[in-house]
Amino acid sequence: MPTTDQLPVVVIGAGPIGLAAAAHLSERGLNPLVLEAGPSAGTAVRDWAHVRLFSPWAEVTDPAAEKLLAPTGWVRPDGATYPTGGDWADHYLQPLADALADKIRYGVTVTGVARAGRDRIVDADRDQQPFTVHVHSADGGEERITARAVIDASGTWTIPSPMGADGLPALGEKAAADRVSYRVPDLKDPAVRARYAGRRTAVIGSGASAFTALAHLADLAEEEDGTYAAWILRRGLTGSTYGGGEADQLPARGALGLRAKAAVEAGHAGAVTGFRTRAVHRDGDQLVLAAEDGRRLDPVDEVIVLTGLRPDLSFLSGLRLGLDERLQAPTALAPLIDPNVHSCGTVYPHGVNELSHPEKDVYLVGMKSYGRAPTFLAMTGYEQVRSIAAAIAGDQAAAERVELTLPETGVCGGAGLFDEPEGAGSGEGGSCCAAPATLRIGVGVPATSGDLPPR
C-alpha cells in the first residue's frame, strides 16, 4: 500500500490550465494524473476552434510546459501572432499532452471526489486520509482512483448560463431548444451558415462572446440579404458597452468591440436595451422574446444566448469547499475578482493562499476558480498552478511568491451583473479606469484579468 506522498496528484481536465498543472507538478518531481472526459487534449477549446484569442502566442503558453516540450523539438509559434482556439489546441495543447504521455487518461469522467473512508461530516483524522476520485470511463466502466491531492481544472464550458434575467431559464426556453444556441456560431461551417443566413437572430449578452457573434453575423449580412441581429442588452448603452476600443492594451479585444459597434452603425444589428428576458414564445416557425417589463420583440428565427458560464460543482459535493455565495469562487479570491466591486476587472496577486479551501489539498484553478466571474487570463491560470505545485511539493516560499505581468486593459463596466438603466455610466463603476498600463503582479498593484473569448 503506497504512502499518501507516493500517490498521484489528480488533475481534472486536459485543457490549458490542467496541462500546465501537470507540467509544473512533473517539474517538481511529483506524479500527476490528468483525467480528461474528452477524446483529446483541449476538448472544450476545440469547441470554439473558430474563435481567435485576445492574447498572442507569447501569453498563452506556460514556461514549465515549454521546458517539457523543448526536447521534442517543439517551437512556439510567432509570439506576436494571435491563435484561434483550433491553433492553440493543435499546436500547443496536443503536443504538450503527447509529451506528458501516460500521465493523461482520456475518455474518463469524474463523478465524485471525497476523502477515503470519510464522508463530508466526519472530522476524525480527515486531513490524513487520501482522496478517492470516482470516474466513469467511455466504455461504461467505473473506477476509484486514490490521490494525494486534487486540482480541478475542468473549467466552466459545460454549463452555459440561460437567457432568463434572473439566472434561471426563461419560460419556454427549454421547449425552444431547437432554435437556441449557447455558443458563438462557426459560420464557415455550411450547415451553421445556413441556419443564420438570411434570417433574424437575437443575440443575448454584453461580453466578448456577444461581440464575436455580432461581428460574424455582420460579415454574413454583407453577403446574404435579410441577415440581421437583434442585440439584446440587459442594461443601457454606455461609453463602456463596446469595451475599451483603441484604449484596450489587448488590441484584439478592443478591435472586436469596435467591430460590434460598426455592425450596429451599419444597420446589420440593432441594440435593444434594458431588456430582461422573462419568456420565449413560439410564433409559427419563429420565436418571440418577452421581457419582465412586458415588452415583446419582433419575431426572430434563432436565438444565441451568450450570458456567461458556470462551474459544475456537483461532483465535488463530498468535499468541504469554501466558496463565495455569489460568484461560487474560492472565498479569499472572490473579493479580488467580484465584478460588482471591480468594474475594471482589477485583480490583485493570488496563488495558493487565495485558492485554498477548508478541505486541505484540493484546489479549483483556471476558469473554474473564477466561478461565475466573467473574465480570465490564461497567464493567471498558469501562475495559479505554479504556486499550487510548489505548495504540494512543500516549497511554501515559492508557493507564496507570485510573479506575473498582466496587461491593464482600461475597460470599465465589469460584467453588468446589475444592469444600469439607459444612459447610465457615471458614478461607481462607470469611470474608475485610469490610463492603461502594464503592471507587475506581486508588488501589491492591481492588474486586470480577462481575455479568453469563450466567456
Side-chain angles (χ1 to χ4, degrees):
M1 181 73 177
T3 64
T4 299
D5 288 349
Q6 295 173 317
L7 294 172
V9 176
V10 164
V11 179
I12 305 173
I17 311 307
L19 293 175
H24 281 279
L25 291 166
S26 296
E27 187 176 49
R28 289 277 180 176
L30 301 172
N31 178 27
L33 175 60
V34 182
L35 304 177
E36 168 57 45
S40 63
T43 299
V45 174
R46 294 177 191 277
D47 277 353
W48 49 271
H50 56 293
V51 178
R52 193 166 299 280
L53 277 74
F54 302 130
S55 289
W57 271 112
E59 297 177 3
V60 296
T61 58
D62 173 77
E66 290 198 24
K67 290 179 185 177
L68 188 63
L69 283 164
T72 70
W74 180 86
V75 177
R76 187 182 68 193
D78 182 354
T81 61
Y82 294 82
T84 63
D87 296 334
W88 203 18
D90 291 340
H91 302 305
Y92 170 64
L93 300 179
Q94 194 59 55
L96 177 54
D98 293 342
L100 288 163
D102 60 0
K103 292 180 171 59
I104 303 179
R105 290 179 56 185
Y106 298 105
V108 288
T109 300
V110 175
T111 58
V113 182
R115 286 284 185 180
R118 305 289 188 275
D119 69 20
R120 183 168 173 160
I121 67 172
V122 176
D123 292 333
D125 299 322
R126 187 175 187 86
D127 288 350
Q128 284 70 54
Q129 306 306 312
F131 292 95
T132 58
V133 181
H134 290 235
V135 301
H136 282 180
S137 58
D139 62 6
E142 294 183 82
E143 183 180 354
R144 189 173 76 170
I145 298 169
T146 308
R148 65 177 293 181
V150 175
I151 300 174
D152 182 358
S154 60
T156 57
W157 184 247
T158 59
I159 307 183
S161 295
M163 71 171 77
D166 55 7
L168 300 175
L171 299 176
E173 181 172 348
K174 294 180 180 179
D178 59 321
R179 296 296 180 90
V180 180
S181 171
Y182 301 87
R183 309 300 188 199
V184 174
D186 180 4
L187 298 180
K188 292 182 180 179
D189 181 321
V192 176
R193 182 185 176 92
R195 179 172 177 174
Y196 298 100
R199 297 190 174 189
R200 292 176 57 87
T201 300
V203 177
I204 304 176
S206 60
S209 293
F211 292 169
T212 305
L214 289 168
H216 289 184
L217 289 170
D219 290 344
L220 182 61
E222 295 280 358
E223 302 172 8
E224 298 283 352
D225 291 340
T227 303
Y228 182 81
W231 184 20
I232 312 303
L233 290 159
R234 294 173 180 171
R235 54 180 161 181
L237 288 174
T238 71
S240 63
T241 296
Y242 297 102
E246 294 178 357
D248 197 327
Q249 285 201 355
L250 295 173
R253 179 168 60 186
L256 184 59
L258 294 176
R259 286 186 66 195
K261 183 177 182 181
V264 173
E265 292 176 345
H268 299 314
V272 181
T273 59
F275 193 97
R276 299 175 176 86
T277 307
R278 182 186 64 82
V280 54
H281 304 285
R282 292 275 185 179
D283 183 6
D285 292 332
Q286 294 183 303
L287 301 176
V288 173
L289 301 183
E292 291 182 345
D293 61 7
R295 282 184 292 165
R296 295 167 70 94
L297 291 187
D298 291 338
V300 297
D301 301 292
E302 299 285 342
V303 180
I304 300 175
V305 183
L306 300 169
T307 54
L309 302 164
R310 302 174 178 184
D312 179 4
L313 301 170
S314 61
F315 59 87
L316 302 177
S317 62
L319 300 175
R320 298 174 177 180
L321 301 181
L323 298 175
D324 179 76
E325 66 273 12
R326 295 164 298 164
L327 298 184
Q328 296 180 300
T331 304
L333 177 61
L336 309 183
I337 63 174
D338 186 353
N340 286 293
V341 178
H342 297 280
S343 61
C344 295
T346 50
V347 178
Y348 283 85
H350 70 280
V352 68
N353 290 336
E354 291 81 8
L355 296 168
S356 294
H357 294 274
E359 194 79 72
K360 186 174 181 290
D361 291 331
V362 60
Y363 305 96
L364 277 58
V365 300
M367 283 186 167
K368 191 160 187 176
S369 73
Y370 273 40
R372 297 192 184 200
T375 52
F376 184 77
L377 283 170
M379 295 169 67
T380 301
Y382 297 153
E383 177 60 19
Q384 288 179 341
V385 295
R386 182 208 62 79
S387 175
I388 288 168
I392 294 174
D395 188 349
Q396 196 63 26
E400 295 182 359
R401 184 177 63 247
V402 182
E403 299 175 356
L404 178 63
T405 300
L406 293 177
E408 166 64 62
T409 68
V411 178
C412 289
L417 294 188
F418 183 78
D419 309 309
E420 298 177 357
E422 186 94 25
S426 60
E428 289 188 33
S431 57
C432 61
C433 293
T438 299
L439 304 177
R440 183 74 177 176
I441 300 300
V443 293
V445 183
T448 69
S449 78
D451 74 350
L452 296 188
R455 293 289 301 181

